[in-house]
């Protein structure tokens, strides 16, 4: 899929968790008010952090343990489930929407670009053909399941992604683990009763 508008690339940098989310919301708001171009941003986190999806309950996280360990908890403007950051490469894609754009196609196109880029590094990744829609894993972290058009290898999710749809623009987040730090999310999850 050819991007319908030019993307402005924002160079890699690391920020505090709440600053990362504020920057992404600012880019979405800018694209809402001026849809002549979108944004592509790659970034890191100054410290290990948990990000919750926009509608996810804080109850999925053991906040006392996280605070004790110095893990900051932040709310993403996009959906999805809890992700551990700090040992990952995070990206944000912001695009203006028009009547001809289907959100599922955009999600697939962005994920396809990630697959293409990572495969050029020698990985053998693909887009998952799995089911579409919500899962019954509300108390599980993002990387615990694979949904349609997510990046996977041998049935395991390798890139977590989520979207937020505005009036005239959309934001798609993604987290690409660099090391195994993302697995630390299990330490901060509450077990379902």
């Amino acid at each position: 899929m050819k991007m319908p508008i030019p993307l402005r690339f924002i160079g890699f940098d690391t920020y505090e968790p709440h600053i990362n989310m504020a920057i992404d919301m600012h880019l979405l708001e800018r694209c809402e008010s001026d849809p002549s171009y979108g944004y592509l941003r790659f970034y890191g986190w100054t410290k290990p952090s948990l990000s919750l999806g926009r509608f996810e309950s804080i109850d999925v996280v053991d906040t006392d343990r996280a605070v004790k360990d110095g893990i900051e908890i932040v709310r993403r403007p996009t959906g999805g489930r809890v992700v551990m950051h700090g040992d990952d490469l995070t990206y944000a894609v912001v695009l203006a929407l028009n009547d001809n754009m289907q959100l599922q196609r955009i999600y697939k196109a962005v994920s396809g670009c990630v697959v293409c880029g990572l495969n050029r590094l020698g990985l053998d990744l693909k887009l998952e053909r799995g089911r579409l829609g919500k899962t019954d894993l509300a108390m599980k972290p993002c990387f615990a399941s694979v949904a349609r058009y997510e990046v996977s290898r041998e049935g395991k999710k390798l890139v977590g992604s989520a979207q937020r749809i505005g009036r005239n623009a959309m934001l798609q987040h993604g987290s690409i683990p660099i090391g195994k730090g993302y697995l630390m999310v299990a330490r901060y999850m509450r077990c379902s009763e």
Side-chain angles (χ1 to χ4, degrees), residues 56-74:
E56 187 173 30
S57 171
I58 188 72
D59 295 337
V60 301
V61 173
D62 183 340
T63 55
D64 292 337
R65 178 178 260 188
V67 168
K68 179 182 169 197
D69 290 353
I71 304 296
E72 188 164 335
I73 301 170
V74 67

Side-chain angles (χ1 to χ4, degrees), residues 105-154:
R105 286 185 62 209
I106 296 170
Y107 191 91
K108 181 180 179 183
V110 172
S111 296
C113 290
V114 172
V115 166
C116 183
L118 292 174
N119 282 345
R120 287 183 180 188
L121 296 174
L123 300 174
D124 182 22
L125 305 178
K126 65 176 184 171
L127 287 184
E128 184 63 37
R129 295 178 189 229
R131 61 190 168 90
L132 181 64
K134 297 187 182 222
T135 70
D136 57 354
L137 298 173
M139 296 294 285
K140 302 291 183 191
C142 174
F143 285 90
S145 69
V146 183
R148 184 175 287 178
Y149 303 138
E150 289 192 305
V151 181
S152 68
R153 183 176 184 181
E154 298 174 1

Side-chain angles (χ1 to χ4, degrees), residues 27-117:
L27 295 176
L28 178 61
E29 290 163 1
R30 283 191 68 173
C31 195
E32 287 272 11
S33 63
D34 181 3
S36 58
Y37 53 86
Y39 301 92
L40 173 61
R41 175 177 177 246
F42 291 97
Y43 56 94
W45 304 71
T46 55
K47 59 183 152 190
S49 310
L50 293 167
S51 72
L52 295 169
R54 182 175 180 206
F55 301 109
E56 187 173 30
S57 171
I58 188 72
D59 295 337
V60 301
V61 173
D62 183 340
T63 55
D64 292 337
R65 178 178 260 188
V67 168
K68 179 182 169 197
D69 290 353
I71 304 296
E72 188 164 335
I73 301 170
V74 67
R75 175 104 27 213
R76 288 189 313 274
T78 54
R81 296 186 310 250
V82 65
V83 175
M84 183 82 186
H85 299 281
D87 199 13
D88 67 328
L89 173 64
T90 306
Y91 66 85
V93 177
V94 178
L95 296 172
L97 298 174
N98 65 46
D99 294 337
N100 299 327
M101 297 172 78
Q102 296 176 344
L103 299 175
Q104 192 176 29
R105 286 185 62 209
I106 296 170
Y107 191 91
K108 181 180 179 183
V110 172
S111 296
C113 290
V114 172
V115 166
C116 183

